[in-house]
Amino acid sequence: MRVTGLPPYDPNNIFARILRGEIPCRKAGENEHALAFHDINPQTPVHVLVIPKGAYVSVADFSASASEAEIAGFWRLIGQVAKEQGLEGGGYRILSNMGEDGGQEVPHFHVHIFGGRRVGRMVPKAEA
């Protein structure tokens, strides 16, 4: 399925279904505005997804439409989860994909927290 990262929001995407309790998840943290859970196909020893509880397609949609409280709650949960997962000492990466070219697979804004080992280069070097 092609994901543009632009509205409209699909209320039947997998993360919306997790938020409604239709699909279980292994929670890593939660607050009024966001939910964090362990990825079912982890790419690093610690791989947690953080999603806002609101219906936002991408970081572009979230940053343009979310309230200040939603934005603060979301980013605070990311920091809290990274700390609770023991990632601050060695470091970690946070990543969000937007749209087809960015590799977005689920049309609900989310951030990946990767840690527990060196994660390497962010993207391949550009060819000259």
Side-chain angles (χ1 to χ4, degrees), residues 53-110:
K53 290 184 176 178
Y56 302 104
V57 178
S58 65
V59 67
D61 185 21
F62 183 70
S63 64
S65 305
S67 70
E68 296 297 320
E70 288 174 297
I71 293 168
F74 177 78
W75 288 104
R76 285 191 176 122
L77 186 61
I78 291 169
Q80 174 190 331
V81 168
K83 182 177 183 175
E84 290 173 356
Q85 294 292 315
L87 300 177
E88 289 183 331
Y92 57 94
R93 174 171 295 155
I94 58 174
L95 173 89
S96 182
N97 300 314
M98 196 286 199
E100 187 174 19
D101 285 352
Q104 185 175 3
E105 295 177 359
V106 178
H108 185 110
F109 173 49
H110 58 286

Side-chain angles (χ1 to χ4, degrees), residues 24-68:
C25 70
R26 190 167 63 109
K27 287 184 186 180
E30 184 173 15
N31 64 28
E32 179 182 356
H33 301 291
L35 173 67
F37 54 94
H38 295 272
D39 195 294
I40 61 170
N41 185 25
Q43 305 300 303
T44 55
V46 177
H47 184 175
V48 174
L49 300 172
V50 183
I51 63 174
K53 290 184 176 178
Y56 302 104
V57 178
S58 65
V59 67
D61 185 21
F62 183 70
S63 64
S65 305
S67 70
E68 296 297 320

Side-chain angles (χ1 to χ4, degrees), residues 1-24:
M1 172 174 69
R2 186 173 182 273
V3 177
T4 69
L6 300 173
Y9 180 81
D10 174 8
N12 293 312
N13 75 71
I14 191 166
F15 294 165
R17 295 180 65 207
I18 288 170
L19 286 169
R20 289 193 300 266
E22 297 170 6
I23 297 174

